[in-house]
DNA sequence: CGCTTTCGGGTAAACGATTACGTAAACGCA
DNA sequence: TGCGTTTACGTAATCGTTTACCCGAAAGCG
């Protein structure tokens, strides 16, 4: 590994001079700078982030914390897509990304310890169990943190408009003439609870009464349990005319249940998903759903976190809502 | 940040003694060690990976290089799932994961430079454009490297059995009585070419002649172009009885084309995918496909790379093949 | 011609760990 | 008692940078 020392020797200057020349200080002669920069090129100098970080206390590294309870983690397109744009934005700002787990070396510790050990400048918390004391410890630490789809007091957060999105979907179904609307919601998290709230709020505003048997629970992002929930709904004496699913992916299970029952979408029953994953547009008929703006979620999360890292004083821990949009597919029939 | 110095002061010993006590050297009194370990606990000592790595030249960090040409990258379940198990295994071995891009700081450089800058101990190359000179530069460097689904001379690699898998699928279709078999293959990469080879090899062994119009090309992992390729096949005078798709995900497009043509799977036409993504098992009818063992791919990639990092002399750069298995769904009809 | 500024660059300490080597005390043994 | 060996810990250099401070020479100025 070629270091500043090598360059210094070759140019007959001190290491300090090399450092200054390469980092663009002013108190250096233009001729010397040129010489040094050229030598650095020729020797293939790369720099050493470890040494730099050790001295400056700034690693240009941000940690990602996501513990996938449901083990869907990476598989969930929501996460994959968000992470992708998060990474892109971070790289654009000169930051790299490292995963933070609750073990370092061979033994398990806390997320905070891991973050401190690696010296990350900040952490994005996504898809994690926010009730976990270890997560709380990290959130309450000195390290800048931003959470996705969950809010903590006095901490930055980026949120998808789950409540508004669900409200808009209900209104859409209502406008299409549906009055008997069922909802298979996911198991309780901040996200699914927000959607529930949106659902009930819209129903109330529209003066829709939802019989309790129209509300089913399934595992979020899990088609099998959704399949069973759907079967239960279809077996009801007074069948709903429209079913809301917890998420697009779960709908695969629901779809199977509907087909098995000999029903057609949307002629016999209408369905609505949530997420707007790529697959939703590929299905036939195309799924009507709410498109989350994962690209913006990831981008903003990275950008805001970096803002807070670089300008802690002037950047308040805001809660930013990213809006999605109705993706009108072909799975909701107009009733008259 | 509490450092060894703080512990040293509190215990009235030197920093060297603290280091020895904490890293488990022998030349230390048992009583002193206890004292130091306790003090470390009490002060909440975490260690500093940067300082340690600077001195030992070992970061316990491995880089992931994946440049997603098709922009499917993270979205592809193959990648997501492999990355997930790779990360799990790496963490089990005490390693963290960082993404390696071709830019560091605010300016673009090479992958190698990035890897050197961050001081990663090794790199896993996955889903990348292996023809890229920048990738080659990294592969030919001193840094331990392992590639997924691509082989370089004298470099470790982990491979999915794409050729065997495809051969097995063809044999399966043959045994089910199919003789008119079409294949929509993905655009050329090491992966798709291996599958092609497997396809032709099996056909030859079975003395099946494949008319050229039965071979179509589409964008890998892209349902839209697969939709069009499927339409072309269905429009042929002598329609194939079974269509092989480049991958499960693309089949979504193919499925739509089939439905539009008013055909049923598998009654009117049989279909076979490749990958064994979660969705394949959720579709109705269940897709017959080849299940890639992504869990093993990721695990072995991490394990082998770490082996080569820690025991470079005794670990040859092997090419390891991970076997998948036939996932018998309901999309291939038995012909008689 | 003296004096202060500015310019260009060097010195050295520091970041937080690791480790080869030194050394004083205790111990073993004839 | 004398001498070698072990035990337990300290000293100091080092990894590759950054940065506050220092200093000589050239330049500017009246």
């Amino acid at each position: 590994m070629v270091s500043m020392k090598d360059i210094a020797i070759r140019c007959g200057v001190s290491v300090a001079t090399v450092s200054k020349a390469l980092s663009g200080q002013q108190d250096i002669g233009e001729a010397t700078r040129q010489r040094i920069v050229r030598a650095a090129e020729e020797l293939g100098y790369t720099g050493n982030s470890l040494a730099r970080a050790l001295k400056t206390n700034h690693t240009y590294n941000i940690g990602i914390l996501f513990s996938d309870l449901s083990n869907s983690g990476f598989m969930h397109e929501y996460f994959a897509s968000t992470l992708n744009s998060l990474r892109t934005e971070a790289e654009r700002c000169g930051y790299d990304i490292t995963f933070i787990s609750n073990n370092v070396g061979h033994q398990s510790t806390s997320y905070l310890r891991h973050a401190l050990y690696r010296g990350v400048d900040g952490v994005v918390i996504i898809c994690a169990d926010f009730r976990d004391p270890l997560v709380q410890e990290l959130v309450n630490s000195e390290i800048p943190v931003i959470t996705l789809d969950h809010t903590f007091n006095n901490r930055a957060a980026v949120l998808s408009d789950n409540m508004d999105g669900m409200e808009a979907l209900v209104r859409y179904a209502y406008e299409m003439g549906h009055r008997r609307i069922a909802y298979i919601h996911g198991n309780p998290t901040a996200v699914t609870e927000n959607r529930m709230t949106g659902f009930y709020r819209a129903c109330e505003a529209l003066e829709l009464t939802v019989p309790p048997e129209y509300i089913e629970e399934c595992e979020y992002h899990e088609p099998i349990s959704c399949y069973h929930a759907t079967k239960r709904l279809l077996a009801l004496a007074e069948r709903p005319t429209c079913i809301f699913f917890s998420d697009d992916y779960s709908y695969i299970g629901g779809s199977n249940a509907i087909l098995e029952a000999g029903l057609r979408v949307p002629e016999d029953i209408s369905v609505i998903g949530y997420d707007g994953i790529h697959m939703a547009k590929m299905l036939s008929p195309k799924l009507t759903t709410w498109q989350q703006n994962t690209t913006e979620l990831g981008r903003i999360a990275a950008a805001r976190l970096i803002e807070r890292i670089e300008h802690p004083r002037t950047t308040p821990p805001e809660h930013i809502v990213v809006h999605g949009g109705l993706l009108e597919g072909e799975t909701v029939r107009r009733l008259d």
Side-chain angles (χ1 to χ4, degrees), chain A residues 3-301:
Chain A
S3 71
M4 285 192 175
K5 192 192 246 178
D6 302 310
I7 302 179
I9 291 171
R10 184 193 243 242
C11 294
V13 296
S14 76
V15 174
T17 307
V18 175
S19 173
K20 288 177 191 169
L22 261 34
S23 62
Q25 310 286 95
Q26 4 275 16
D27 62 342
I28 214 85
E30 190 49 32
T32 340
R33 138 163 305 137
Q34 300 262 334
R35 217 155 32 97
I36 291 172
V37 169
R38 195 138 21 88
E41 287 284 331
E42 286 169 20
L43 294 176
Y45 174 73
T46 305
N48 183 321
S49 68
L50 303 159
R52 189 206 305 282
L54 180 58
K55 189 69 181 123
T56 62
N57 217 21
H58 193 164
T59 55
Y60 285 98
N61 224 313
I62 72 184
I64 302 278
L65 169 53
F66 94 110
S67 57
D68 50 344
L69 308 163
S70 54
N71 218 19
S72 62
F74 271 127
M75 314 311 181
H76 198 322
E77 189 175 308
Y78 165 81
F79 175 74
S81 170
T82 302
L83 179 57
N84 211 20
S85 74
L86 196 155
R87 182 171 90 99
T88 304
E89 175 69 8
E91 278 174 5
R92 207 184 59 73
C93 299
Y95 285 74
D96 282 336
I97 281 182
T98 300
F99 291 108
I100 298 294
S101 67
N102 58 352
N103 53 280
V104 37
H106 287 273
Q107 43 200 345
S108 66
T109 52
S110 70
Y111 297 121
L112 175 58
R113 295 282 268 260
H114 193 157
L116 291 172
Y117 176 70
R118 284 291 177 195
V120 295
D121 297 328
V123 178
V124 180
I125 307 182
I126 169 174
C127 270
D129 177 4
F130 293 99
R131 272 170 275 249
D132 183 348
L134 293 178
V135 173
Q136 308 244 354
E137 180 195 30
L138 176 62
V139 170
N140 293 323
S141 75
E142 295 289 305
I143 298 181
V145 154
I146 194 166
T147 52
L148 257 96
D149 273 340
H150 193 276
T151 60
F152 284 107
N153 273 339
N154 211 29
R155 290 286 174 269
V158 183
L159 308 158
S160 194
D161 59 343
N162 284 298
M163 213 180 300
D164 295 347
M166 186 52 88
E167 253 188 277
L169 287 177
V170 174
R171 285 177 190 282
Y172 172 78
Y174 187 90
E175 278 162 24
M176 293 292 276
H178 291 271
R179 295 296 178 271
R180 298 212 305 275
I181 297 177
Y183 182 20
I184 304 176
H185 64 86
N187 44 326
T189 63
V191 170
T192 54
E193 277 165 7
N194 275 332
R195 293 185 192 166
M196 283 274 270
T197 306
F199 181 82
Y200 282 122
R201 183 188 289 181
C203 289
E204 201 163 324
L206 296 168
E207 296 185 356
L208 266 178
T209 50
V210 185
E213 63 269 24
Y214 274 19
I215 303 296
E216 284 279 354
E217 178 168 330
C218 72
E219 292 293 312
Y220 184 68
H221 204 254
E222 176 43 63
I224 301 285
S225 78
C226 180
Y227 166 83
H228 292 113
T230 308
K231 284 207 106 159
R232 288 195 293 274
L233 286 178
L234 297 179
L236 290 175
E238 192 169 41
R239 213 165 56 200
T241 61
C242 181
I243 303 181
F244 280 61
F245 289 91
S246 64
D247 57 272
D248 293 350
Y249 191 70
S250 295
Y251 167 63
I252 297 179
S255 166
N256 290 349
I258 291 171
L259 283 170
E260 272 183 31
L263 301 173
R264 291 159 308 160
V265 174
E267 290 82 355
D268 304 317
I269 192 157
S270 296
V271 297
I272 290 183
Y274 206 105
D275 271 350
I277 64 177
H278 200 197
M279 193 195 70
K281 303 163 201 164
M282 301 300 153
L283 292 175
S284 183
K286 292 193 184 69
L287 183 60
T288 293
T289 185
W290 187 260
Q291 173 91 58
Q292 293 203 61
N293 194 341
T294 50
T295 308
E296 274 300 280
L297 279 169
R299 196 186 64 72
I300 291 180

